[in-house]
Amino acid sequence: MDRNLVNILGYGVDTFSMDEAVDYIVKNHGQVVTINPEMIECASSNEDFKRVIQDAEMVLPDGIGIKLGLKILGHDVARIPGIDFGKALIKRAYYLKKSVALIGATQDVVENAVVNLKAELSNLNIVYYHNGYFDDNNEVYNELLSHKPDLVLVALGAPKQEMFISNIKSQLPDSVFIGLGGSFDVWAGAVKRAPKFYRDIGCEWLYRVISEPKRLKRIFPTIPLFLLKVIIERFKSK
Ligand code: UDP
């Protein structure tokens, strides 16, 4: 299966279903970006980040903002939340007996995430993990180069995690890399994921704002402005 991209403000977004996306990236390897409006906004003033997103081997529509934006442009795509896709990749790695590395979050969080993942998938082959608070990328890169994990999960927040991945991916051409934001915190049990009800109606963001009000700053005015830009793009292309 080939990629089928739809465009939003200059970024190609893949239209795979969850299963197709797992199949594609496990076969083709490379970097998965789970894109959201905050990342597009950040990339508008950061050329390097912009190029990293555009050069990614897969770009998945993570949040409701991207889904809405694509809808305005006439594309109906399924949301693929990064945390769910990350878990699907881990499960695939488990069944294929592939190796996994986790990089990111605090020491407690990454340790607990490893313990919980191994409890859920016994003998999951986690060959390396490291917390996300390090000054010297090279030390972590060298560990990755020596372990050559098939799947590398990086949770440093955007754009740090995407830049971190892009600087190493060419040296590990057979690996799959994905930036996963706050997912380790959820897997560690340190942060609760939004209940299914919120997720089903596309309001996971609302639950996260209620439980962590400082997130509001990240959403407003970024998301309304993003949607405004999308509406302008829509009219320009008519
Ligand atoms: N983080 C990290 N190193 C840093 C900054 C952040 O490991 O230098 C971790 C942080 O502990 C958290 C994750 O990155 O686990 C960022 O989560 P955030 O909620 O910002 O991500 P989102 O899911 O919103 O993209």
Side-chain angles (χ1 to χ4, degrees):
M1 167 167 299
D2 290 327
R3 296 180 78 186
N4 178 28
L5 300 172
V6 288
N7 193 285
I8 187 160
L9 303 180
Y11 299 90
V13 178
D14 284 284
T15 54
F16 292 120
S17 68
M18 174 84 95
D19 289 345
E20 288 167 350
V22 174
D23 290 345
Y24 179 88
I25 201 70
V26 166
K27 183 160 169 246
N28 294 282
H29 318 130
Q31 176 167 16
V32 182
V33 169
T34 63
I35 199 167
N36 61 36
E38 298 98 294
M39 287 161 83
I40 292 184
E41 182 55 31
C42 171
S44 68
S45 57
N46 180 341
E47 275 299 314
D48 291 341
F49 184 37
K50 183 174 182 177
R51 203 162 322 112
V52 165
I53 300 174
Q54 290 173 334
D55 289 349
E57 281 64 33
M58 181 178 270
V59 179
L60 297 177
D62 184 0
I64 187 75
I66 290 288
K67 183 171 163 71
L68 259 175
L70 284 169
K71 183 110 190 167
I72 291 169
L73 296 169
H75 308 295
D76 211 354
V77 302
R79 266 186 71 204
I80 302 189
I83 187 166
D84 295 333
F85 190 67
K87 188 50 110 34
L89 287 174
I90 293 175
K91 286 189 175 155
R92 183 65 67 90
Y94 172 73
Y95 290 118
L96 297 175
K97 300 194 168 28
K98 302 274 189 187
S99 54
V100 180
L102 278 78
I103 295 148
T106 61
Q107 185 65 21
D108 269 5
V109 164
V110 71
E111 275 175 12
N112 287 330
V114 166
V115 167
N116 291 346
L117 287 170
K118 284 191 165 185
E120 185 183 339
L121 303 164
S122 59
N123 300 324
L124 174 67
N125 187 15
I126 297 178
V127 288
Y128 174 62
Y129 67 88
H130 197 289
N131 68 58
Y133 295 86
F134 45 85
D135 296 324
D136 183 10
N137 279 11
N138 285 328
E139 188 192 313
V140 180
Y141 285 152
N142 286 335
E143 290 291 336
L144 288 175
L145 292 173
S146 76
H147 288 95
K148 294 190 174 40
D150 298 301
L151 174 62
V152 183
L153 310 161
V154 186
L156 304 172
K160 214 173 177 181
Q161 60 200 12
E162 283 73 26
M163 305 311 287
F164 177 90
I165 291 172
S166 121
N167 288 328
I168 187 73
K169 69 176 185 182
S170 65
Q171 293 180 67
L172 290 168
D174 298 328
S175 303
V176 173
F177 296 85
I178 182 168
L180 282 178
S183 303
F184 294 1
D185 298 85
V186 174
W187 293 339
V191 168
K192 252 183 66 195
R193 183 133 188 235
K196 194 165 178 305
F197 164 75
Y198 284 87
R199 285 186 260 151
D200 286 350
I201 61 168
C203 284
E204 185 151 12
W205 62 273
L206 180 63
Y207 177 85
R208 292 179 87 181
V209 166
I210 293 168
S211 22
E212 213 186 320
K214 67 174 193 288
R215 279 192 171 268
L216 199 61
K217 268 215 309 256
R218 278 170 50 167
I219 295 180
F220 292 102
T222 306
I223 295 198
L225 276 178
F226 163 79
L227 292 174
L228 190 64
K229 284 186 192 165
V230 171
I231 291 168
I232 292 169
E233 176 168 290
R234 165 90 208 236
F235 281 107
K236 276 206 283 200
S237 66
K238 271 204 159 175

